[in-house]
Structures are given as C-alpha cells and as structure tokens.
Amino acid sequence: MPSFARRVASFGTTIFTEINQLAAQHQAVNLGQGRPDFDGPPEIIDAAVRALHSDTANQYAPSPGLPELREGIARHAGVFYDLDVDPNAGVIVTAGATQGIFSAIMGLIDPGDEVIIIEPYYDSYVPGVQMAGGKPVYVPMHPPAWTFDADELRAAFSHSTRAIILNTPNNPTGRVYTRAELQLIADLCIEYDVIVISDEVYEHLIFEGHQHVAIASLDGMFERTVTVGSAGKTFGMTGWKIGWVYGMPELVTGVWRAHQFITFAANHPTQAAVAYAFTLGNSYYEEYQALYSHKRELVMQVINAAGMSAIQPEGTYFIMGDFSEVFDGNDVEFCKYLIEQIGVATIPPSAFFSEKHRKHAENHVRFAFCKSDETLERAAERMRRLRT
Ligand code: PMP
Ligand code: GLN
C-alpha cells in the first residue's frame, strides 16, 4: 500500500486553511488569515496587465528573477537600510516569501544543524527546517509585552547552531524588535558564527513611534544574513506570490541553488509589475502606513467591543487579543466559539508555538486587520454579543 513520506507524516492541515473552512461553513466575518479583502494599488495591477500583453512576459523569467526587479529590490535595500546589495548575484526572486524562506533553509542548513526559532513564528519555518533535516531550538517571546528573555536566548546558542530565523515586525504579536534586541541577537550570532534568516515581510507596516531596523544593517551582520521580503505584504498582492531573498552573494548562491530546483523561476508578469511598484517612491509607503494606522484604530474597537484587552501593535496587520476576562478555555476553544456562536473568525496563536511553549498563547487570539472598514465594523458589531 503506497503511503506518503515520513518527512511529512507529522504535518497537519495549516491553521489558515482550517480556519478559512470553518469560517466559510459558519459565514463568519473572517479576521483570521492575513489576506486583505481589497486589492493593492490599481496602477500596479495595470502594470501586470501591460506585462501580460507585452509579448515578453508570458514565458519563463530568468531563474534568479527579472533584472529590473532585482535592481528594484537592491535599490530599496540601499535607500531604506543603507545596504550595498548586488542586484546580479545578491538577490533571488521567489514564489512568495514562503518559498524564499524554504529555499534559504534548503540552501543553507545541513542535516543535524540546530536552527533557533523565536516563538511565536510564521508556521512554515518549522516544517521547512524539519524537511532540511535541521533541528529547531525554540526561544519564546513572553506576554503581555511579547519580549524574549536575554538569558533564554543566550542558552539556545551553542556550537551546533547554524542559523536563527527571525521575524520583525512580528506576526502574530505586532512587535517590532528594538535596535537593542537586534544587537543582542547580532552579538550572539557573531560569537557563535551563526547565519540569520531575517523575515522582514512587514518591513513597511510600521506605526508611529516605531522604526524597522534591518538586522543586516548592524555591524558585522550583512555577511551573515539573508533577508526575506514579500510583494504580498509590501504591495498588498498576496495572491501574486512574489517574494525575494537578498544578502551577500556567498550566501545567496546557496539559496539560489535550492531555488532552481524548487521552482526554477517565479511568475513572470507579476515580477514585471512588482518591478514597477518599486519605482513608486516614498509616498506609496506613507499612504500604506496611513491606511493601516486607521485600520489599527478600527480593530481596537473590535477588541473593546468584546470586552477583551490588547496591546496596540507596533507593526504588522495583526493584533493579539487577550480574552481571559470574557471566556474560560484555551485559544483553540475560544476561536471555535467565536466562529460558531459570535460569527467572527480569528487564529489561535498556539499554532505558532512549539508544544512546550504553547501555554504562552493560551489566553490570546490573533485578529488580522487587513480588511475593509466595513468588514472591521461588522466584526465589532458581532463581537458586542460577547458581552450580552
Ligand atoms: N512570513 C511571515 C511572517 C508572514 O506572515 C507571511 C504571510 N504570508 C509570510 C512570511 C509569507 O509570505 P508570502 O505570502 O509572500 O509567501
Ligand atoms: N501570513 C498569513 C498569516 O499569517 C497567511 C499565509 C498563509 O496562509 N500561509 O495569516
């Protein structure tokens, strides 16, 4: 009897698929998956349409990505982080950040290597490390401030550590790591000769008073960091699945070797459109932040309507709501209750923790606020039912 491989035997259905199915079944207002219910800028869509009709974009793109997009990514890293990225040998365009992270893991991690993962984490990191034969070593962030403990972090490093996977601005906590937090990580990486896979897909989703620091911009870190970005997040087109990885050619070559045999090349017409998007200039990022600052206020109303509490996110379009005042049970139970009885879908954040640290999340659910104002208002209305 044929069966599937041992490497996938422990993988279930992702939490995003599970919650989407349950939400559809109960016609819940879906604040679960980070999937905007509106499009990115129409002029970027027009650029994709032009590419589709150009006679040049409907066949394979070059394996590392369209040159004009690689130039856009390198230029952006120079403008925002003062990094000197080689567009030819230091950038790979991937099928979303998810494939970028997977290619980075496959290209840089050997079987038996330890990989430090800060929790909560985006759900693809652990299966990626496991498929590469690496060993995840977990360091939790602690509620309510969602900071990691310096001693716990230090204790996770050893001479078997090959890499650390970071995500700032952080999904699902909304934390933006401070320069001091990143410096602590950087010092340990240099001391133990560790590579960083830095997932910065929410780099432009930053709220007033906070600043995104790229770990690659700290002294001694560019040569040991690969940085991952996503047009899904930066330009609001999650369905296009265009992401990228950049860094020193010495590391990026490893990522590219894996990338060639995972997908060879990412979607060509949308790469052309994302290259155009990188020419829009600063006003685009400012408008994007203003849009989400407004939505952050609306999602606070959703939380307040329910009688729940939350710390305002510093970045990202996610917020962790603490439900301990309104529900007796764990996050999975509350999520199910919210969908079935209240009609609002959220994500149980225990899905982003190892078994050992799941308790850190048990009083919280994650709301995504990349939704139209009407959707957020409808959710707030429904959440009021929790009080009655
Ligand atoms: N990293 C993080 C932290 C994310 O939240 C997401 C969400 N989609 C991704 C990576 C994947 O991005 P993409 O859709 O470009 O694969
Ligand atoms: N990043 C999105 C989230 O965290 C979902 C991506 C996915 O469905 N894999 O909600």
Side-chain angles (χ1 to χ4, degrees):
M1 173 79 170
S3 65
F4 42 66
R6 279 195 299 279
R7 79 171 64 80
V8 300
S10 68
F11 302 166
T13 306
T14 80
I15 193 67
F16 305 110
T17 305
E18 231 175 71
I19 294 293
N20 280 343
Q21 283 169 353
L22 202 61
Q25 200 181 321
H26 293 274
Q27 285 152 25
V29 178
N30 195 344
L31 306 189
Q33 189 181 31
R35 178 186 195 275
D37 61 356
F38 50 91
D39 279 340
E43 65 265 42
I44 304 180
I45 297 174
D46 290 343
V49 173
R50 279 197 304 279
L52 281 164
H53 289 294
S54 68
D55 277 350
T56 59
N58 293 317
Q59 310 302 339
Y60 294 125
S63 172
L66 278 191
E68 59 268 37
L69 176 52
R70 283 184 276 135
E71 273 154 28
I73 293 163
R75 198 172 51 243
H76 174 276
V79 169
F80 284 93
Y81 312 119
D82 205 19
L83 296 174
D84 187 11
V85 175
D86 176 350
N88 296 315
V91 183
I92 305 293
V93 180
T94 56
T98 307
Q99 190 235 318
I101 293 160
F102 185 59
S103 300
I105 291 169
M106 294 306 278
L108 301 172
I109 307 294
D110 274 318
D113 284 346
E114 289 189 4
V115 180
I116 298 173
I117 296 178
I118 301 189
E119 305 166 279
Y121 48 76
Y122 177 54
D123 71 337
S124 79
Y125 302 166
V126 173
V129 169
Q130 288 168 339
M131 284 192 274
K135 184 171 170 277
V137 174
Y138 300 103
V139 176
M141 292 201 271
H142 297 265
W146 300 110
T147 47
F148 53 80
D149 179 87
D151 291 333
E152 284 178 349
L153 180 72
R154 203 169 287 118
F157 278 80
S158 77
H159 291 288
S160 309
T161 311
R162 168 70 173 160
I164 178 167
I165 308 183
L166 294 186
N167 170 223
T168 183
N170 184 261
N171 172 11
T173 63
R175 270 304 318 286
V176 175
Y177 290 168
T178 60
R179 188 175 285 276
E181 284 172 310
L182 290 168
Q183 190 60 59
L184 177 69
I185 296 169
D187 291 346
L188 288 163
C189 289
I190 292 169
E191 183 181 340
Y192 287 91
D193 195 18
V194 164
I195 291 170
V196 180
I197 299 174
S198 186
D199 178 348
E200 300 180 16
V201 297
Y202 299 104
E203 61 192 314
H204 286 292
L205 247 171
I206 292 282
F207 300 112
E208 213 183 320
H210 301 279
Q211 194 203 350
H212 173 61
V213 177
I215 194 164
S217 69
L218 301 184
D219 276 355
M221 291 308 290
F222 185 60
E223 51 269 48
R224 57 180 65 254
T225 302
V226 290
T227 303
V228 181
S230 168
K233 313 297 167 184
T234 296
F235 300 112
M237 310 287 194
T238 61
W240 288 8
K241 293 300 291 186
I242 296 294
W244 51 85
V245 181
Y246 66 78
M248 287 279 272
E250 287 75 359
L251 290 177
V252 169
T253 300
V255 181
W256 181 49
R257 287 189 182 177
H259 168 78
Q260 293 182 100
F261 299 112
I262 294 171
T263 184
F264 181 72
N267 179 291
H268 191 156
T270 49
Q271 284 197 55
V274 177
Y276 166 79
F278 271 111
T279 66
L280 290 177
N282 268 353
S283 62
Y284 168 73
Y285 303 110
E286 284 159 17
E287 281 165 30
Y288 179 69
Q289 287 174 4
L291 174 78
Y292 278 104
S293 299
H294 168 67
K295 293 193 184 296
R296 183 176 65 157
E297 280 168 30
L298 292 183
V299 82
M300 286 309 288
Q301 289 172 22
V302 176
I303 305 267
N304 293 335
M308 293 169 61
S309 60
I311 294 179
Q312 279 216 338
E314 300 165 349
T316 79
Y317 42 53
F318 302 111
I319 184 166
M320 292 276 257
D322 180 335
F323 60 80
S324 39
E325 292 295 311
V326 297
F327 186 82
D328 202 11
N330 68 26
D331 61 332
V332 173
E333 289 158 353
F334 184 56
C335 241
K336 204 158 173 275
Y337 173 79
L338 274 187
I339 294 174
E340 291 174 355
Q341 306 299 325
I342 306 293
V344 174
T346 60
I347 298 286
S350 53
F352 305 143
F353 279 90
S354 64
E355 197 82 42
K356 188 170 155 208
H357 298 132
R358 222 150 254 186
K359 60 182 183 305
H360 291 267
E362 68 192 0
N363 295 330
H364 292 82
V365 282
R366 188 197 80 173
F367 295 83
F369 55 95
C370 47
K371 306 292 170 177
S372 70
D373 291 3
E374 297 70 41
T375 305
L376 293 169
E377 278 154 13
R378 212 144 43 88
E381 230 164 77
R382 291 189 177 193
M383 290 299 275
R384 260 176 224 116
R385 294 188 208 155
L386 258 177
R387 288 168 173 259
T388 53

